[in-house]
Structures are given as structure tokens and as C-alpha cells.
Amino acid sequence: MSERIRTTRSDTLLASVGGRGVLCGIYDEDAADTYHDLMRDSDGTSEAQEFATLIRPASGPVLELAAGTGRVTFPLLELGFEVTALELSTAMIATFRELLENATVDVRKRCTVVQGDMTAFALDERFERVVVSSGSINVLDAADRPGLYASVREHLAPGGRFLLGVAVAEAVKPGQGERQQELPGLSGRRYVLHAALLPSEEIHEITIYPAEETADPFVVCTNRIRLLKAEQVVRELEEAGFDMVTRTPFASAGQSSPDVLLLEAKVSGA
Ligand code: SAH
């Protein structure tokens, strides 16, 4: 997928840097360096442990949707689970596979990587647990989310559970309009993260770019993230024929108070 989202900020930046400018989606190939620089030490272990409390050992493979570069997948594998990781972006999968090559044989054997769209996938396997880590649902439009719920229903084994992390913290509060902060990359390079809340929709326009104005190439990464509330997701799940089983707030890595709600849902009547 190479979705090139333009934001007001990316338009301004690219107009001023001329030929050095590169526009890409944050999950695209051109963004890979930036993504790794900013995300490499972003640790999904505590999140994986939360999911793990709701996964029975030896319950067969877990299906993780929108697995990215495996922030949560690798900790799940380390905990001993078998994981089928589904991801849409070719660039993210390439990095995932590289990381997998460097993992132990044991971990490699327990992981299957599949390219697919979480809103419309068809695997010939059913799973006791389907997992979506926090934040991933926020990349989907309202129009696409029913496809996720329907696809998940189709892939749950009898008695299976859908485990979904929903971020409760908001990068920009409604009314706040926009926000900008500098982020250090692991390489020592610094980036600017600009977030704008579009007035008419509950959407953040995210633009990430080098703090160094002379950077060449000047890579401008963009993304759109919805401001999904947990209650909204719960309502949608119920409309899609799920019953809620548990709701567990937890603090993800580096947070002192709960910033994610872990929802456990099952197919109604199952
Ligand atoms: N779950 C990972 C990645 C989160 S980023 C983590 O917690 O770190 C969101 C991911 O969703 C990106 O890797 C993006 O490529 C992927 N994605 C976006 N739309 C998708 C879709 N329709 N189907 C599958 N993956 C998708």
C-alpha cells in the first residue's frame, strides 16, 4: 500500500524544501527509516503481557491483525505463543521478516506472516484468539470498521475471543486544534511531530519531519488517525454481534496511569 496522505503541514513543508522533499505515509517504504528511528525502542512487552492473561496456553495460534513490525507480536512469541501476523503494508512486512530472521529458531517456527487487509481477509483457519493491539483500530475509517468486525467473526473458533486494545489517551484534545513536539530518534536525529485536529471530523492529521531544516532527503511522513472512544468501539462490536466479556484498563510502556482499555469480546450466543 502506498497511501500518500497530504496534510496542511506537509503541503507547506514540501513547498519550501523543493527537490529535497519526499512525501510518504508513515507505514510506507520511504518512511521506514523514520519509523524505525522513532519506534525501535517502543516496547510492546507490557501490552503483550496484558493480552497473554486472556490467552490460554496451548490454545493454538493467535491471529494478530495489523501487526506492523511486530512490536506486540515478538513479545507474544517470546511468551511461547504461536502467532499468525497479518499486515497490509509491504514495507512493514519486509521489516517484520528481517526481525524474524534474527530471532531464535524457536520463535521463527511459531510465527506465520500473512499480507492482508484486516477489514477483508479470508484465511482457511479459525483462531481461539484474534488480537488487535492498541492504536491499530484508529487507522480505520468508520466505513471500514464493520469489515474488520465481520472478518474477525468469520475467523473465530467456537468459543473464541476477540481482544482489542483501544487507546484512551488523546494526542490532541478537541478544541486544542493543533500541537507540535520534538521527538528524539534513536540515531540521534530529531524529528518534529505535528498533530492537527480536523475541525469537522474526529481525525488527527499527523505530520512527522526532520527537525533539521537542511535534511536531505527531507522526508515528510503523514498519517490520519481517528479519535475513537472505547464506548464507540464497544457499541460497534455489539452492533456487529459481539458480547463484551471483560474490559481491562492498563498502562502501556512508559505510562504511569492506564492509557489503554483492553476489550475482550465473544460472538453473541457462542
Ligand atoms: N500493531 C502494531 C502496528 C501499529 S501501526 C503495533 O502495535 O506496533 C498500524 C499498522 O496497521 C501499520 O503497520 C499499518 O500498515 C497497518 N494497517 C493499516 N491499515 C491496515 C489494514 N487495512 N489491514 C492490515 N493492516 C493495516
Side-chain angles (χ1 to χ4, degrees), residues 1 3 27-28 35 39 42 47 64-73 86-90 92 116-120 132-137 139-140 144 223:
M1 177 185 61
E3 200 187 344
Y27 309 127
D28 291 350
Y35 188 88
M39 294 293 291
S42 156
E47 194 167 336
E64 188 194 350
L65 304 176
T69 56
R71 187 182 65 90
V72 173
T73 325
L86 181 137
E87 165 61 44
L88 185 60
S89 154
T90 307
M92 300 295 272
D117 184 338
M118 64 173 148
T119 68
V132 181
S133 79
S134 67
S136 288
I137 189 150
V139 304
L140 297 179
D144 290 329
N223 197 16

Side-chain angles (χ1 to χ4, degrees), residues 69-148:
T69 56
R71 187 182 65 90
V72 173
T73 325
F74 283 99
L76 283 174
L77 290 162
E78 299 288 348
L79 287 168
F81 297 107
E82 237 182 284
V83 184
T84 297
L86 181 137
E87 165 61 44
L88 185 60
S89 154
T90 307
M92 300 295 272
I93 290 181
T95 306
F96 190 111
R97 287 195 197 280
E98 265 174 48
L99 293 170
L100 198 55
E101 271 165 36
N102 293 322
T104 62
V105 181
D106 191 41
V107 160
R108 273 205 310 264
K109 272 200 310 216
R110 279 188 270 112
C111 187
T112 308
V113 184
V114 181
Q115 185 160 28
D117 184 338
M118 64 173 148
T119 68
F121 59 93
L123 309 175
D124 47 14
E125 195 177 348
R126 298 293 170 267
F127 299 84
E128 286 215 11
R129 295 293 182 266
V130 178
V131 167
V132 181
S133 79
S134 67
S136 288
I137 189 150
N138 289 349
V139 304
L140 297 179
D141 276 328
D144 290 329
R145 293 195 297 270
L148 167 71

Side-chain angles (χ1 to χ4, degrees), residues 137-168:
I137 189 150
N138 289 349
V139 304
L140 297 179
D141 276 328
D144 290 329
R145 293 195 297 270
L148 167 71
Y149 308 136
S151 296
V152 169
R153 275 189 67 149
E154 285 301 304
H155 289 80
L156 279 176
R161 298 282 193 268
F162 182 23
L163 309 179
L164 181 68
V166 182
V168 292

Side-chain angles (χ1 to χ4, degrees), residues 172-186:
V172 177
K173 302 257 182 313
Q176 199 177 323
E178 52 188 288
R179 189 198 61 171
Q180 180 165 314
Q181 76 185 86
E182 234 183 75
L183 299 176
L186 279 190

